Amino acid sequence: MKNIENIQAVPTAIGITRPEKIKSSQFYADVITGLSAQPKYLNSKYFYDAVGDKLFQDLMSCGEYYPTNCELEIFGEKTAEICRAIIGNGDAFDLIELGAGDATKSAYLLAYLLENNADFTYLPIDISDNVISYLNITLPVTLPGIKIKGLNGEYFEMLETAAAVSNKRKVVMFLGSNIGNMEHDDAVGFCRNMRAHLSEGDMLLIGFDLKKNPKTILAAYNDKEGITKKFNLNLLERINRELDGNFDVTKFEHYPTYDPENGACKSYLVSTCGQEVNIGPATVRFLKDEYIFMEISQKFSIGQTDEMAISSGFKPVDHFFDSREWFTDAIWIAE
């Protein structure tokens, strides 16, 4: 989403004012749709502007937030095994990463693949243009010789773009348990849609946060430093910055929950009072204690991950674990 903060309030050269620009944006439409619903919600994909990207980096360094360290351990300790599976018979391939972020984890694989003369092009996809610009500039410096083409946009639109780049075999990475940011039926639908964009024999490397002690999970989303809270509240502040909102973030409390039975970890922002918030030309009313559903982070059993693969048109062929078996990166092959 292009940042519209700097668009002038006076008519532009083509006669579009800032309020008109705001009202016509997809960000505005999605925010108003979510906050007009019962119960209220916001789309978690909008967490990631420049400020949100930085806060998420801070969160990944937080002691309670274990998923990143678990997956980093897998990529650091199982690099050769994962890369051997990716390289396969040595044919050329496109390595596509959905939601690439700063590529900290995938950098292990990228370096190994380059050292072993694998014939590949790295195609990171991210909704944040800030992230894609960063990768396009920095990776050729830190990983000399890498062939990279960053793609800024929605996952499936960019997968279609990636397919048009070449007819090489596709290896798609969807890491960080991003699949857990969807309700179960949506996650299955997402995987089926991904399969529809791939050819038989293409590969998916997908990360899953596994079920574990509920206290460990809940602490990761309610850290003592309050980084998760800031990360959630930043979306309200982004609405203020980009959509002429007037949220008072001090009037919202961060509230995470975890259900060990179904594995759903959810985050909410709760209004501490009755209030009205203006967003561009719209007004949104909140009752005292009314909540906004912000995000789900689903936890899985290994059996559930295999079932998801099979029901989506993939064959599960391998799992890589951290030493505590809190996280897995699974390899699925498109059938």
Side-chain angles (χ1 to χ4, degrees):
M1 177 62 60
K2 182 180 179 182
N3 190 305
I4 60 175
E5 186 175 7
N6 294 323
I7 295 173
Q8 299 298 312
V10 297
T12 66
I14 56 173
I16 300 176
T17 64
R18 176 178 168 88
E20 291 171 336
K21 184 73 173 179
I22 288 171
K23 193 172 180 180
S24 66
S25 74
Q26 188 62 50
F27 183 22
Y28 176 83
D30 290 345
V31 166
I32 297 304
T33 296
L35 295 183
S36 300
Q38 290 296 330
K40 290 178 169 63
Y41 69 91
L42 287 171
N43 193 320
S44 60
K45 72 181 181 181
Y46 293 116
F47 280 142
Y48 300 98
D49 64 346
V51 178
D53 292 340
K54 175 59 169 62
L55 285 168
F56 190 68
Q57 296 303 314
D58 294 341
L59 181 60
M60 289 193 295
S61 302
C62 174
E64 296 102 323
Y65 192 77
Y66 63 84
T68 301
N69 287 335
C70 288
E71 197 168 30
L72 279 172
E73 180 188 331
I74 293 171
F75 277 66
E77 298 295 327
K78 308 289 178 66
T79 313
E81 297 170 59
I82 297 172
C83 285
R84 280 197 293 269
I86 290 174
I87 292 171
N89 62 11
D91 59 334
F93 62 94
D94 291 323
L95 183 62
I96 303 168
E97 183 169 8
L98 306 183
D102 65 357
T104 297
K105 288 171 281 194
S106 49
Y108 286 95
L109 305 186
L110 298 173
Y112 186 96
L113 293 170
L114 287 170
E115 289 169 5
N116 287 269
N117 300 313
D119 186 0
F120 75 101
T121 300
Y122 179 50
L123 303 173
I125 296 173
D126 205 284
I127 194 172
S128 170
D129 55 358
N130 178 60
V131 162
I132 293 302
S133 296
Y134 171 82
L135 294 178
N136 278 332
I137 293 169
T138 61
L139 285 189
V141 176
T142 58
L143 295 169
I146 191 169
K147 292 181 287 185
I148 177 173
K149 180 178 175 59
L151 302 173
N152 173 219
E154 301 282 353
Y155 290 158
F156 293 118
E157 179 184 348
M158 293 300 102
L159 272 178
E160 291 177 4
T161 300
V165 169
S166 76
N167 59 2
K168 299 175 187 174
R169 178 171 63 94
K170 309 301 181 189
V171 177
V172 178
M173 298 190 294
F174 194 44
L175 310 178
S177 197
N178 284 325
I179 192 66
N181 295 142
M182 310 173 200
E183 300 284 355
H184 178 268
D185 290 348
D186 292 336
V188 172
F190 180 91
C191 291
R192 287 175 178 165
N193 198 354
M194 193 182 311
R195 173 62 187 89
H197 284 78
L198 300 176
S199 300
E200 184 177 348
D202 286 345
M203 178 181 293
L204 175 62
L205 177 63
I206 182 169
F208 292 97
D209 193 4
L210 300 176
K211 292 180 178 179
K212 60 188 69 65
N213 189 297
K215 292 181 179 179
T216 300
I217 291 173
L218 193 56
Y221 298 88
N222 197 25
D223 61 284
K224 294 176 183 177
E225 295 181 51
I227 300 172
T228 310
K229 175 182 176 180
K230 293 176 185 176
F231 182 65
N232 278 266
L233 288 174
N234 178 63
L235 181 45
L236 303 189
E237 293 174 334
R238 180 181 180 185
I239 292 170
N240 288 349
R241 290 189 295 268
E242 298 186 22
L243 302 181
D244 284 353
N246 66 344
F247 276 102
D248 181 347
V249 298
T250 67
K251 294 180 179 179
F252 288 86
E253 292 182 343
H254 168 63
Y255 181 69
T257 68
Y258 176 62
D259 184 340
E261 183 174 1
N262 63 25
C265 185
K266 297 183 177 183
S267 294
Y268 303 87
L269 290 176
V270 182
S271 177
T272 59
C273 61
Q275 56 182 307
E276 290 187 353
V277 176
N278 296 319
I279 304 171
T283 299
V284 179
R285 294 173 176 83
F286 290 87
L287 300 174
K288 184 179 184 297
D289 299 324
E290 188 174 10
Y291 65 85
I292 309 171
F293 171 57
M294 302 297 288
E295 185 177 31
I296 184 172
S297 184
Q298 185 71 36
K299 314 307 174 186
F300 301 86
S301 68
I302 290 298
Q304 288 174 320
T305 71
D306 288 346
E307 289 171 7
M308 185 178 293
I310 295 167
S311 65
S312 303
F314 292 92
K315 178 182 179 181
V317 296
D318 211 344
H319 299 92
F320 301 96
F321 299 94
D322 64 288
S323 57
R324 292 176 292 190
E325 298 192 354
W326 283 4
F327 199 98
T328 188
D329 284 294
I331 290 183
W332 298 354
I333 301 296
E335 293 192 308

